[in-house]
Amino acid sequence: NCESPAWATYHETKDTHGEHYNQTIDDMPPDVIQKVDDMTKSDKVIYKAAVQRFIKDVEAMEQRFKVKILCSAQREMLHQKADSA
């Protein structure tokens, strides 16, 4: 329930298992970026459809159980990630 006061005290953790990766996409040559884009074209379509389906399913659960599961900020973040995929 994203409306629960407990979310105000939630502290996200992120484990990296000691791995470090300092390169960014800007460090890659344009031909490599193009090859990756070509190979992942279908992946992007599937990802976007999956995000839309997930949001639709969550909305159905919210209506059914009368509880807010996906907060507005998280919902917006999902939309942004799907649109940029």
Side-chain angles (χ1 to χ4, degrees):
N1 180 355
C2 79
E3 295 173 334
S4 169
W7 279 108
T9 60
Y10 173 73
H11 298 286
E12 181 179 355
T13 60
K14 183 176 181 181
D15 293 327
T16 62
H17 306 286
E19 297 297 323
H20 300 283
Y21 186 76
N22 296 324
Q23 287 184 317
T24 68
I25 194 165
D26 297 328
D27 298 325
M28 299 293 132
D31 63 313
V32 171
I33 294 171
Q34 186 59 53
K35 287 177 183 176
V36 171
D37 285 347
D38 292 344
M39 290 189 302
T40 59
K41 191 178 294 186
S42 296
D43 297 339
K44 293 174 183 181
V45 172
I46 293 168
Y47 177 78
K48 188 171 186 170
V51 168
Q52 291 170 343
R53 171 70 186 268
F54 174 76
I55 292 172
K56 179 182 168 193
D57 289 350
V58 167
E59 288 171 347
M61 296 299 289
E62 288 175 337
Q63 290 178 357
R64 179 175 178 192
F65 294 103
K66 309 289 188 244
V67 64
K68 191 75 172 162
I69 299 170
L70 190 60
C71 298
S72 298
Q74 286 76 18
R75 184 183 313 263
E76 181 60 29
M77 177 199 61
L78 285 171
H79 281 298
Q80 287 176 359
K81 285 188 175 190
D83 290 342
S84 68

